Amino acid sequence: MTTTSPAPPHETRERLDAALTRLRAGATDWTALTAAGRRDLLRRVRAAVADCADDWARIAAAGKGLSARHPLAGEEWLAGPYAAIVALDAYADTLDALARGRSPLGGIRTGTAPDGRTVVHTSPLRLSDRILLSGYTTEVWLQPGVTSHAARDAAGLGSRHPLRSTGVGLVLGAGNVTSIPFLDVLYELLAQGRVALLKVNPTQDALVPVFERVFAPLIDAGFVAVVSGGGDVGAYLTRHPEVDHVHITGSEATFRAIVGSDDDRLRVPITAELGGVSPIIVVPGRWSRADLRFQAEHVATMRLHNSGHNCIAGQVVLLSRDWDQREDFERELRRAFARTPKRPVWYPNAPARLQQVSRTYPDADWFAGGTRAIAVGGGEIETTEYFAPVLGIVDLPGTGATFLDAAIDHANDRLTGTLGANVLVDPVTARALGTAFERSIARLRYGTVAINAWTAFGFLTPTATWGAFPGGSVDDAPSGIGIVHNALLLDDVERTVVRGPFRPFPRSLTGGRFSVLPKPPWFVTSRTGRAVSEGFTRFRIDGRIAPLLATLARAFRA
């Protein structure tokens, strides 16, 4: 997309103009709708998502070259209808609290982080979360100086004062994960108070009928419109006089094209999520053979999920050259890359990026018929988001706190972007580091930090926040500006911190954070990932216990 793209055909412009005119009228009605009315409308959207879940997951998998029953098709259940359902439920809870004159933070535990930051413990909040996602938690750290009292008073954002209209928002949908456009539209409506025009990425054109079905209650009321098209349509819409705000999930290059130059500068505010080069910091410790294998599969998942076409994919592993188990871990990592099921490298231009890696790193190890790689050494892999299944390994000196400090400095200063960072640390080492570990986490300048988890868990948790570390601007936004998701509608957010178990069940009984989960269904090496992910989604939809028990039994055969 470029702002100098040729104009769309006349018939297309008329259709777009009509959609925006209807949304402009709908903005007034949205302003007049109470929190209770918005809650009830979301419940109708939820029913539509439940009705479309099978089609949503099937079409999404087919678009990525996977059969509906492929083990990795579970990704399309979790990153599609599952993410939509849990977000709708969380937003409905927030709107229900506002409708009753309460803060969305009523009854939610708060605490403190280094330097006196207020921490909101955002999950688990439901019994179902404690069961399905056992051992995983999220917390939102607010910006320094924000008290818990101030946070409770401010929670609600655009739904706290619905009489304040902010007009019409344009959402330029992502092309890689199917729930992103859906969730970005919800945030425009509920956090920003804007009605929304969703322009679907061409990679998701096959899902347009699904988006139209799930958004039907909002479309019929004039609060949402869905359109498709290429760069010409996007360029036309970003400069349209009826658009008051633009939000994009995409690449920094696309963001720059939208913002434009001095001669054709975007006239309205813009928020964005633009990805980056995400680190995986492996803190040296004494790991068992099972630990090495599990965490190697964990790292492989961070890179190979969705064939590497994720803005939050882990791209650079920071390893200690002084760790006496370093070679053992690398060996297990290569084995995990080799045994993960082969799949298409489907995103546009990704094959060309793989060729670029082959030229830049001639000694890289290739797997699955040359469709995924591990490259040792820094350079381009630290500054270029490949958006392809390529993992880098970078050596740093030291052990313990010395290594951790060096890794954090490297991640902050050498890697492009501030979206997400992952830290793997065994329980014994974490205890030895003590309070210094939390202070180290506070030094990471990333919008989501995951400890013994993948940052994508924060993406999937609706009450967590998602976006770059604060400070991005139109002129300097390597990972974007602003946040999304955030179903508690918190203000003054600094970051989300995800915490998970270092070991799965039953080894979680041996120490560290307890979990009843065996290998998580989102692991790319899970043999039952599709069935378990579909089962989790169906339980979120209907709450039926008997099918859930069968799903949990499948999880133990992963």
Side-chain angles (χ1 to χ4, degrees):
M1 176 194 303
T2 65
T3 56
T4 57
S5 298
H10 177 72
E11 297 79 5
T12 301
R13 296 199 305 272
E14 284 190 329
R15 175 171 53 86
L16 298 174
D17 293 347
L20 286 166
T21 298
R22 187 159 189 263
L23 286 171
R24 177 63 63 187
T28 302
D29 295 335
W30 181 250
T31 299
L33 196 62
T34 64
R38 295 179 180 190
R39 175 203 62 203
D40 295 343
L41 199 52
L42 286 195
R43 288 173 176 166
R44 292 172 55 198
V45 174
R46 187 190 195 280
V49 171
D51 184 60
C52 291
D54 285 277
D55 288 344
W56 187 332
R58 174 181 52 79
I59 294 170
K64 299 177 181 182
L66 300 176
S67 69
R69 301 191 67 80
H70 191 286
L72 295 177
E75 296 172 359
E76 303 313 316
W77 282 94
L78 290 182
Y82 177 97
I85 287 289
V86 296
L88 288 164
D89 287 344
Y91 278 123
D93 288 346
T94 290
L95 292 171
D96 189 65
L98 293 171
R100 297 172 186 271
R102 302 171 183 166
S103 170
L105 294 189
I108 294 178
R109 185 167 58 95
T110 60
T112 57
D115 300 321
R117 292 173 175 85
T118 294
V119 172
V120 181
H121 294 276
T122 55
S123 74
L125 299 178
R126 295 171 176 234
L127 178 61
S128 56
D129 292 330
R130 298 181 189 276
I131 295 172
L132 297 187
L133 307 172
S134 173
Y136 291 86
T137 62
T138 64
E139 57 202 52
V140 172
W141 293 14
L142 304 181
Q143 295 186 25
V146 179
T147 66
S148 59
H149 180 77
R152 292 180 191 279
D153 285 348
L157 298 180
S159 290
R160 184 166 174 258
H161 301 291
L163 295 180
R164 300 175 184 174
S165 174
T166 51
V168 178
L170 169 64
V171 173
L172 298 172
N176 59 326
V177 174
T178 62
S179 63
I180 292 177
F182 180 90
L183 298 175
D184 288 351
V185 166
L186 292 186
Y187 202 68
E188 283 291 291
L189 290 165
L190 301 169
Q192 309 295 357
R194 285 186 283 268
V195 296
L197 175 65
L198 168 62
K199 190 270 181 189
V200 176
N201 189 288
T203 63
Q204 296 191 12
D205 278 350
L207 279 166
V208 168
V210 170
F211 289 138
E212 290 175 337
R213 286 168 62 192
V214 298
F215 281 131
L218 296 167
I219 293 172
D220 293 344
F223 303 147
V224 169
V226 179
V227 300
S228 59
D232 58 338
V233 171
Y236 179 74
L237 291 172
T238 60
R239 268 37 182 194
H240 201 287
E242 290 290 351
V243 168
D244 300 297
H245 182 274
V246 176
H247 177 80
I248 175 177
T249 299
S251 70
E252 187 178 13
T254 302
F255 175 80
R256 290 279 151 237
I258 292 169
V259 170
S261 62
D262 292 338
D263 295 333
D264 184 28
R265 190 80 164 175
L266 184 68
R267 64 173 182 81
V268 298
I270 184 170
T271 52
E273 193 268 88
L274 305 176
V277 175
S278 294
I280 306 167
I281 299 172
V282 180
V283 183
R286 176 51 52 190
W287 294 12
S288 69
R289 182 175 298 177
D291 292 337
L292 290 166
R293 177 176 176 134
F294 178 79
Q295 293 300 344
E297 292 182 358
H298 198 177
V299 172
T301 296
M302 296 180 196
R303 179 70 267 187
L304 299 180
H305 182 280
N306 199 23
S307 203
H309 310 315
N310 286 331
C311 57
I312 199 54
Q315 182 162 306
V316 174
V317 181
L318 300 179
L319 282 180
S320 169
R321 66 175 65 108
D322 300 316
W323 185 27
D324 59 2
Q325 292 184 287
R326 182 237 164 87
E327 290 184 4
D328 296 331
F329 181 71
E330 280 198 42
R331 187 180 306 113
E332 288 293 347
L333 187 53
R334 286 174 170 81
R335 288 172 178 169
F337 259 58
R339 68 174 171 266
T340 297
K342 186 177 179 181
R343 64 180 303 168
V345 178
W346 63 272
Y347 205 78
N349 300 319
R353 287 191 287 273
L354 291 180
Q355 293 176 4
Q356 175 185 342
V357 170
S358 181
R359 292 190 297 269
T360 306
Y361 297 93
D363 296 328
D365 293 322
W366 290 86
F367 308 86
T371 60
R372 61 185 70 139
I374 295 177
V376 177
E380 182 182 87
I381 203 166
E382 298 179 283
T383 57
T384 300
E385 182 188 10
Y386 283 135
F387 219 65
V390 179
L391 184 72
I393 297 177
V394 172
D395 280 341
L396 295 174
T399 59
T402 301
F403 168 80
L404 185 57
D405 285 342
I408 288 171
D409 288 342
H410 194 96
N412 284 341
D413 301 334
R414 298 283 296 275
L415 305 187
T416 296
T418 65
L419 187 60
N422 311 274
V423 181
L424 303 180
V425 58
D426 67 273
V428 173
T429 302
R431 284 195 297 271
L433 290 168
T435 57
F437 181 74
E438 288 297 307
R439 291 197 299 271
S440 296
I441 296 304
R443 286 208 303 118
L444 275 167
R445 295 192 298 269
Y446 287 84
T448 297
V449 177
I451 304 163
N452 293 332
W454 179 24
T455 45
F457 189 92
F459 170 92
L460 201 63
T461 303
T463 48
T465 59
W466 187 250
F469 194 75
S473 67
V474 170
D475 296 315
D476 182 19
S479 283
I481 305 169
I483 59 171
V484 290
H485 303 184
N486 187 26
L488 293 170
L489 300 179
L490 300 171
D491 202 2
D492 296 317
V493 167
E494 182 184 68
R495 75 183 79 197
T496 281
V497 175
V498 180
R499 302 179 195 267
F502 182 73
R503 301 181 177 100
F505 186 84
R507 292 190 303 110
S508 60
L509 293 167
T510 64
R513 179 172 286 232
F514 175 72
S515 174
V516 299
L517 276 182
K519 182 183 294 184
W522 54 85
F523 268 38
V524 292
T525 51
S526 173
R527 291 175 295 180
T528 60
R530 194 275 312 164
V532 174
S533 298
E534 179 181 347
F536 278 12
T537 306
R538 295 195 185 282
F539 175 72
R540 292 294 194 183
I541 289 172
D542 59 29
R544 295 173 59 204
I545 297 299
L548 175 63
L549 295 177
T551 294
L552 294 176
R554 292 188 185 97
F556 280 88
R557 298 197 297 271

